[in-house]
């Protein structure tokens, strides 16, 4: 991990520090939050101090994200999960160049497993390259900058929120035939995105 920060840290600083300076946030920032919108295929990067509001620092196109709208329900469904997640682990030796692990499944995911498919799956990452079987691929150049940023943020300050669409533009988005808990999940996502990252 230190090698990646050494190799790509200057580029990460060049990309993200201007937003930090503009909003009086220390470099490297104490908190980073990624916003991923599946339909729009956009990954936004937001930074914040120990307290206070988040500021948008960058956005990357998502080059690949398999599946469609709706949460990941089981191993092998090739869905990108949806919801609120931490980013606990960084892998500098990924077969997809570099990767950042999403802590799927979280408690909500485990609580809504289908009875006939109790294995929710695992190993969901934001990574380089342009292929996906449930992960978010943003290409090698983008993951180099993002990895070097996330590596400098304490684990407690790293998270990703994944939504089916940009809920700022469609706060009432509904998935056809969705279970009530999925609709409630979207309401929570929409409310928190609107409040914290308008």
């Amino acid at each position: 991990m230190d090698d990646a920060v050494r190799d790509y840290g200057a580029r990460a600083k060049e990309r993200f520090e201007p937003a930090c300076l503009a909003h009086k946030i220390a470099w490297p920032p104490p908190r980073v939050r990624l916003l991923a919108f599946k339909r729009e295929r956009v990954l936004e990067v937001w930074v914040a101090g120990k307290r206070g509001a988040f500021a948008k620092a960058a956005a990357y196109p998502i080059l690949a994200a398999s599946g469609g709208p709706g949460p990941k329900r089981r191993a092998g469904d090739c869905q990108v999960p949806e919801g609120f997640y931490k980013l606990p682990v960084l892998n500098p030796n990924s077969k997809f160049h570099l990767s950042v692990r999403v802590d799927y499944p979280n408690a909500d995911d485990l609580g809504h497993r289908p009875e006939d498919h109790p294995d929710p799956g695992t190993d969901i990452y934001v990574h380089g390259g342009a292929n996906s079987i449930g992960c978010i691929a943003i290409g090698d150049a983008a993951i180099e900058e993002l990895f070097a940023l996330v590596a400098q943020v304490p684990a407690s300050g790293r998270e990703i929120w994944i939504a089916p669409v940009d809920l700022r533009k469609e706060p009432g988005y509904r998935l056809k035939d969705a279970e009530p808990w999925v609709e409630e999940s979207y309401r929570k996502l929409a409310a928190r995105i609107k409040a914290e990252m308008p």
Side-chain angles (χ1 to χ4, degrees), residues 1 25-33 47-50 54 85-90 100 147-160:
M1 190 160 63
I25 298 167
W27 177 263
R31 293 184 289 157
V32 61
R33 182 179 293 159
V47 294
K50 290 182 180 178
F54 277 85
Y85 300 95
K86 297 292 186 181
L87 298 168
V89 178
L90 291 88
V100 180
F147 188 99
L149 168 67
V150 173
Q152 297 178 78
V153 174
S156 61
R158 309 186 307 227
E159 57 188 346
I160 182 170

Side-chain angles (χ1 to χ4, degrees), residues 14-194:
E14 182 179 358
R15 166 73 73 169
F16 303 115
E17 188 183 37
C20 292
L21 292 174
H23 294 87
K24 298 181 171 55
I25 298 167
W27 177 263
R31 293 184 289 157
V32 61
R33 182 179 293 159
L34 309 181
L35 272 186
F37 300 118
K38 291 163 74 171
R39 185 176 66 195
E40 291 80 3
R41 289 186 170 251
V42 171
L43 180 73
E44 296 181 356
V45 182
W46 294 67
V47 294
K50 290 182 180 178
R51 289 172 295 280
F54 277 85
K56 186 177 176 182
Y60 295 106
I62 294 172
L63 304 184
S66 60
K72 182 172 181 62
R73 302 299 307 279
R74 57 186 171 82
D77 65 5
C78 296
Q79 279 289 94
V80 174
E82 296 173 351
F84 305 99
Y85 300 95
K86 297 292 186 181
L87 298 168
V89 178
L90 291 88
N91 180 7
N93 302 307
S94 170
K95 64 181 179 179
F96 297 100
H97 187 39
L98 300 165
S99 62
V100 180
R101 186 177 183 129
V102 176
D103 76 336
Y104 172 89
N106 63 20
D108 282 344
D109 299 314
L110 292 172
H112 294 103
R113 286 177 290 180
E115 290 184 9
D116 58 339
H117 291 284
D119 180 1
T122 187
D123 292 334
I124 303 298
Y125 291 87
V126 178
H127 59 63
N131 296 302
S132 166
I133 48 170
C135 297
I136 295 172
I138 60 172
D140 290 354
I143 196 63
E144 288 168 0
E145 295 175 351
L146 185 62
F147 188 99
L149 168 67
V150 173
Q152 297 178 78
V153 174
S156 61
R158 309 186 307 227
E159 57 188 346
I160 182 170
W161 296 0
I162 307 172
V165 301
D166 188 339
L167 295 167
R168 296 167 300 194
K169 298 175 182 175
E170 293 185 56
Y173 175 82
R174 298 183 68 179
L175 183 63
K176 184 178 179 182
D177 299 324
E179 297 171 68
W181 72 268
V182 175
E183 293 189 1
E184 179 60 21
S185 172
Y186 291 169
R187 282 193 291 271
K188 288 178 182 177
L189 271 166
R192 289 193 63 186
I193 292 170
K194 180 180 178 181

Side-chain angles (χ1 to χ4, degrees), residues 1-18:
M1 190 160 63
D2 291 342
D3 288 348
V5 173
R6 183 195 64 221
D7 293 344
Y8 310 121
R11 278 178 42 212
K13 185 174 183 179
E14 182 179 358
R15 166 73 73 169
F16 303 115
E17 188 183 37

